[in-house]
Amino acid sequence: MLANYLIGLREGLEAALVVSILVAYLVKSDRRHLLSRIWLGVAAAVLVSLGFGALLTFGPRGLTFEAQELIGGGLSIVAVGFVTWMVFWMARTARGLGGELRGRIDAASEGSAWGLVLVAVLAVGREGLETALFLWATSRATSSDGGSTWTPLLGAVLGLATAVVLGWLIYRGAISINLSTFFTWTGAFLVVVAAGVLAYGIHDLQEARFLPGLHDLAFDVSHIVDPNTWYAALLKGIFNFTPQTTVLQAIAWVAYVVPVLTLFLVGARRRIRPAAPASPSLATTTPSKDAR
């Protein structure tokens, strides 16, 4: 639940900041009559994301066990790819996000009425599809071991609700968050969570007989970490840790988390260091009081 809460919080806050920038720029440029197009695009992006999540959940149920595991494992690996790309993309481009979106608004507002709707759909829908895919992957891992599917979904909903409140408070100028620090810590956490999803996806592909080594265990600590205990459920829910891990799962986890986390932390350190005297906050990418 905690992992899904943080995923919902981070991805939801990214989307909330995008919407805040779009709304603040239209208000500042005295184009309030175009706000309805932004909200229409946001509503369309939410519906598309919910539909994508429903398709992932109910789509493969009529297939054989091997086919379900093959699709599930493949989509889990795709989810890891999306999350990895988004973590690095957000860290690299967050400072210029406001300017990029303002440029898109200017171009779209001079075109057809659907231009601004499309800007909102693409900006918010990207976050929504990524969130839906990643939450589906983590929820599937929990439910496959007999866990409740409602717990991870509840965590995600609470995270998204918190993100909406934070986005609104930032827009109103009620609070100020050091977004550079926030995205660095949550990005590092997501890399570790994604490594667990990758290992679980590998296990799915082994169960589908697409990959070998299903019974070749790297370690078995089930006599220490009883799968029926609360702390085993906690480790499973946050990191997708399984007491019985195959050799291929262990290799995939290490081969992913070591280089990716190292590159992410080194990049974050380089970005923060020169900006330290002038405050590393990304507040310039979010609407300020002057922008409204």
Side-chain angles (χ1 to χ4, degrees), residues 209-234:
R209 300 180 182 179
F210 183 78
L211 292 177
L214 179 60
H215 302 291
D216 297 332
L217 297 181
F219 57 83
D220 182 357
V221 293
S222 55
H223 59 289
I224 300 174
V225 183
D226 186 346
N228 298 315
T229 58
W230 65 268
Y231 51 88
L234 187 65

Side-chain angles (χ1 to χ4, degrees), residues 29-82:
S29 58
D30 198 23
R31 288 183 281 186
R32 290 176 178 269
H33 62 286
L34 298 177
L35 285 176
S36 59
R37 300 180 190 179
I38 296 295
W39 294 120
L40 180 61
V42 171
V46 171
L47 290 177
V48 169
S49 301
L50 291 175
F52 183 58
L55 178 64
L56 291 173
T57 302
F58 301 109
R61 287 192 174 181
L63 302 176
T64 64
F65 173 78
E66 287 77 11
Q68 291 184 40
E69 296 304 296
L70 184 61
I71 293 174
L75 289 179
S76 294
I77 294 174
V78 170
V80 172
F82 271 120

Side-chain angles (χ1 to χ4, degrees), residues 79-292:
V80 172
F82 271 120
V83 167
T84 305
W85 177 76
M86 285 300 296
V87 165
F88 281 92
W89 178 83
M90 191 66 189
R92 187 177 64 255
T93 63
R95 290 178 184 275
L97 185 60
E100 178 186 346
L101 288 174
R102 285 191 288 271
R104 290 185 186 181
I105 289 176
D106 288 337
S109 61
E110 295 173 357
S112 66
W114 295 101
L116 276 178
V117 177
L118 185 61
V119 169
V121 169
L122 293 178
V124 178
R126 181 174 55 191
E127 307 289 348
L129 292 176
E130 176 204 354
T131 302
L133 181 57
F134 202 62
L135 290 178
W136 172 82
T138 56
S139 299
R140 186 171 180 273
T142 301
S143 61
S144 66
D145 288 345
S148 170
T149 56
W150 288 104
T151 302
L153 292 178
L154 177 61
V157 170
L158 291 176
L160 290 171
T162 304
V164 171
V165 173
L166 288 177
W168 182 78
L169 291 175
I170 292 174
Y171 173 78
R172 301 298 302 176
I175 62 171
S176 177
I177 297 176
N178 189 323
L179 295 174
S180 179
T181 301
F182 174 82
F183 284 124
T184 297
W185 281 105
T186 56
F189 175 78
L190 272 183
V191 170
V192 178
V193 173
V197 173
L198 175 63
Y200 183 80
I202 294 294
H203 188 262
D204 275 355
L205 295 181
Q206 289 179 310
E207 287 191 323
R209 300 180 182 179
F210 183 78
L211 292 177
L214 179 60
H215 302 291
D216 297 332
L217 297 181
F219 57 83
D220 182 357
V221 293
S222 55
H223 59 289
I224 300 174
V225 183
D226 186 346
N228 298 315
T229 58
W230 65 268
Y231 51 88
L234 187 65
L235 291 172
K236 178 70 177 178
I238 297 178
F239 302 112
N240 270 312
F241 173 79
T242 54
Q244 295 178 320
T245 299
T246 68
V247 173
L248 200 55
Q249 281 183 278
I251 291 175
W253 192 94
V254 174
Y256 172 84
V257 78
V258 172
V260 173
L261 190 58
T262 300
L263 289 174
F264 179 76
L265 293 178
V266 169
R269 186 177 180 181
R270 288 176 179 172
R271 284 187 294 272
I272 291 175
R273 181 180 293 172
S279 177
S281 172
L282 299 184
T284 53
T285 67
T286 62
S288 63
K289 292 180 179 179
D290 294 337
R292 287 179 276 118

